Amino acid sequence: MTTTRMDFTLHHSSSSMISSSTPTTSFTTLSNHLSKSFLLWSERNYSATALPCRQTLLLDKSLAGRIHVHGRFVTTWSPNSGNIGTHVEALFGMDLHSIAVWHGRIVDYEQCKHAYSKCWQELLIDARFSTLNLAKMLLTRLLRGIAPKQSQDDDHDSYDDDGYDDPHEDDNDHDDDDDAKKNKVPDDNQETPAQLQALQQQNAFTMLPTEDTLESQIMGSAKYDPVGICAKALATKFAQMFGRRAFPVLPQDVDVVRRNLGHRIAVRVPARVLRVLRRGGYFDWQKTMQEIWFTDHVRPSEGEEEEELVKRALQCLTDAGCAYAFLPNHVLWVNFCDVTSGGRITDPNPLQNNNACRFHETMQQFYVHDAFVNAKPKFLAFLLAQAHSDPMMMHQYIQTQLS
């Protein structure tokens, strides 16, 4: 008869508890400590394993921040853990297989960050996990903060991954999703985009919007994600969740965006999310406005009719006593087109969205929306006076027209 002996090393709290246990210690108490120390015996082992790095992402909320190495619990990535390098929250748990551990302690937390980043990069581009919609899960937790911990009494069988299914996906085509089917994921994103915005307005976050997370650190840094795979995936998912016209901003920049990018919808996001979306293609409002008005799709007046329109409009400003001397080549036309992560955006209502005209202070040039190429000379002069940086120009023109 062959006897097989198995030796397990436990986290110090579990080890001390078991060593000091008495014969009266219940089996349930011992099994609970074992399940907390080893993923093999965990009841909430909802996970996704990345290939080819074979690092595992733990999706359940109750495992957020927990670091396992080869299935054994080592430490918690949290500012309360007291470990050097873990001064921010982590929104997911992880089971790593390529980092060094010495006597139950992680040797290099930078190595841990690189491994965790590699895991996310491979998972977000892996079609096997498309039904899990990991990008939506990640973006939601970044917006809301750390997910609330689940009670041990919760029924884990009630979790499902319906909230992460693509609504346009064929329900009958699941032959290639065997790995994803094995992972039943808790749906921590029942809120619609409008409800997420309402939560933001109520400050109903479980962490401050200014606080950072491990995920936002590694995805917003070229050190851990050189190509920006995670950032681009989150930017694409942001456009899908909130619409192509959505523009992520900090709360203090909402009014500025509404004045300068009226065709976009300002969506307030925490600073940690904005830093990642910047790498994904959502630039700040100043750069976005410059690319729309002063960089691409700009042309001078074409044909005698357009040239005559510009001359007569400038003459109206001169007759109004304008102190600035402008030439016809100072007025340019813009084919308004805003290229975003969700596609191209045009503005059918430039007057309503304050996208009629812009004035470049350095170049001393006017950039007019080409929707007004057939406007009256007085109306074009009004747009030029309104866009100029000197408010007296608009005042003189209005006074002249009213007199």
Side-chain angles (χ1 to χ4, degrees):
M1 179 178 180
T2 303
T3 302
T4 303
R5 178 179 177 180
M6 300 178 65
D7 293 326
F8 295 99
T9 59
L10 303 178
H11 186 257
H12 61 86
S13 60
S14 301
S15 178
S16 60
M17 189 280 302
I18 293 178
S19 62
S20 61
S21 61
T22 63
T24 59
T25 304
S26 66
F27 174 78
T28 303
T29 303
L30 295 176
S31 62
N32 287 340
H33 281 269
L34 286 174
S35 64
K36 291 179 181 179
S37 297
F38 294 95
L39 287 176
L40 178 65
W41 293 317
S42 176
E43 296 182 356
R44 298 178 179 271
N45 190 12
Y46 310 108
S47 61
T49 301
L51 293 176
C53 74
R54 305 198 65 82
Q55 316 289 359
T56 300
L57 183 69
L58 307 180
L59 306 178
D60 193 271
K61 301 175 185 179
S62 63
L63 300 178
R66 292 173 64 89
I67 304 177
H68 297 75
V69 179
H70 297 291
R72 174 202 167 187
F73 173 69
V74 177
T75 186
T76 301
W77 195 288
S78 171
N80 300 323
S81 64
N83 298 321
I84 298 176
T86 62
H87 58 282
V88 295
E89 295 283 358
L91 305 180
F92 292 84
M94 64 195 84
D95 184 16
L96 307 178
H97 304 277
S98 61
I99 63 173
V101 177
W102 179 258
H103 291 290
R105 296 180 181 273
I106 296 177
V107 176
D108 188 356
Y109 282 96
E110 282 296 309
Q111 186 184 20
C112 184
K113 284 185 177 182
H114 282 283
Y116 188 49
S117 175
K118 186 66 175 178
C119 176
W120 268 114
Q121 294 172 41
E122 294 179 358
L123 287 175
L124 290 176
I125 62 176
D126 195 337
R128 295 178 303 131
F129 299 102
S130 59
T131 56
L132 301 185
N133 209 341
L134 295 176
K136 182 178 180 180
M137 187 189 304
L138 172 60
L139 180 58
T140 302
R141 293 193 186 184
L142 282 172
L143 288 170
R144 297 171 55 188
I146 186 68
K149 304 295 183 181
Q150 294 293 322
S151 172
Q152 296 294 333
D153 298 330
D154 291 345
D155 183 10
H156 66 275
D157 293 330
S158 63
Y159 291 121
D160 58 68
D161 59 351
D162 294 339
Y164 296 97
D165 287 341
D166 188 350
H168 304 291
E169 183 181 10
D170 186 3
D171 295 333
N172 298 324
D173 186 14
H174 293 292
D175 295 337
D176 298 331
D177 298 327
D178 294 338
D179 294 334
K181 286 181 178 180
K182 297 176 183 179
N183 299 284
K184 300 293 287 183
V185 183
D187 187 0
D188 62 326
N189 183 24
Q190 295 290 350
E191 295 87 353
T192 63
Q195 290 172 332
L196 284 175
Q197 284 291 88
L199 285 174
Q200 291 175 325
Q201 295 176 2
Q202 299 171 5
N203 295 323
F205 291 107
T206 53
M207 63 186 299
L208 295 176
T210 55
E211 292 183 3
D212 214 345
T213 65
L214 172 61
E215 289 77 11
S216 61
Q217 278 189 349
I218 63 175
M219 296 177 187
S221 171
K223 178 181 179 181
Y224 305 105
D225 188 3
V227 183
I229 295 176
C230 299
K232 291 178 176 62
L234 285 182
T236 302
K237 181 56 63 175
F238 181 87
Q240 293 176 356
M241 289 179 60
F242 294 94
R244 290 190 308 164
R245 298 181 181 274
F247 191 82
V249 295
L250 296 176
Q252 59 266 29
D253 294 333
V254 172
D255 294 335
V256 179
V257 171
R258 289 174 179 173
R259 288 196 304 267
N260 295 277
L261 298 174
H263 63 290
R264 304 294 291 270
I265 301 175
V267 178
R268 295 187 295 176
V269 299
R272 56 179 176 271
V273 178
L274 189 63
R275 181 168 54 255
V276 178
L277 295 180
R278 287 283 186 265
R279 292 198 69 205
Y282 283 96
F283 304 114
D284 60 87
W285 67 268
Q286 290 179 323
K287 185 175 181 179
T288 303
M289 185 185 69
Q290 290 176 358
E291 289 187 347
I292 295 174
W293 288 98
F294 309 135
T295 306
D296 300 326
H297 312 290
V298 179
R299 64 175 180 84
S301 299
E302 299 177 352
E304 296 181 358
E305 294 183 359
E306 293 184 6
E307 293 178 356
E308 184 63 23
L309 172 62
V310 172
K311 290 180 181 179
R312 295 177 61 182
L314 294 177
Q315 186 61 41
C316 292
L317 294 179
T318 303
D319 296 341
C322 174
Y324 302 91
F326 295 106
L327 299 176
N329 57 3
H330 289 166
V331 180
L332 302 175
W333 301 95
V334 178
N335 182 12
F336 192 92
C337 184
D338 187 1
V339 181
T340 67
S341 299
R344 295 177 177 269
I345 299 176
T346 58
D347 187 7
N349 301 311
L351 282 177
Q352 179 180 352
N353 296 327
N354 193 26
N355 284 328
C357 183
R358 290 291 188 275
F359 179 70
H360 197 289
E361 188 71 27
T362 304
M363 301 295 296
Q364 290 292 302
Q365 290 179 330
F366 293 96
Y367 295 81
V368 187
H369 197 299
D370 61 359
F372 303 100
V373 72
N374 296 320
K376 299 296 183 181
K378 290 184 177 182
F379 183 72
L380 179 58
F382 170 79
L383 295 180
L384 299 179
Q386 185 183 41
H388 198 274
S389 56
D390 187 358
M392 289 302 299
M393 187 173 178
M394 181 63 177
H395 176 74
Q396 291 175 355
Y397 182 76
I398 293 296
Q399 290 292 332
T400 302
Q401 296 300 317
L402 293 178
S403 60

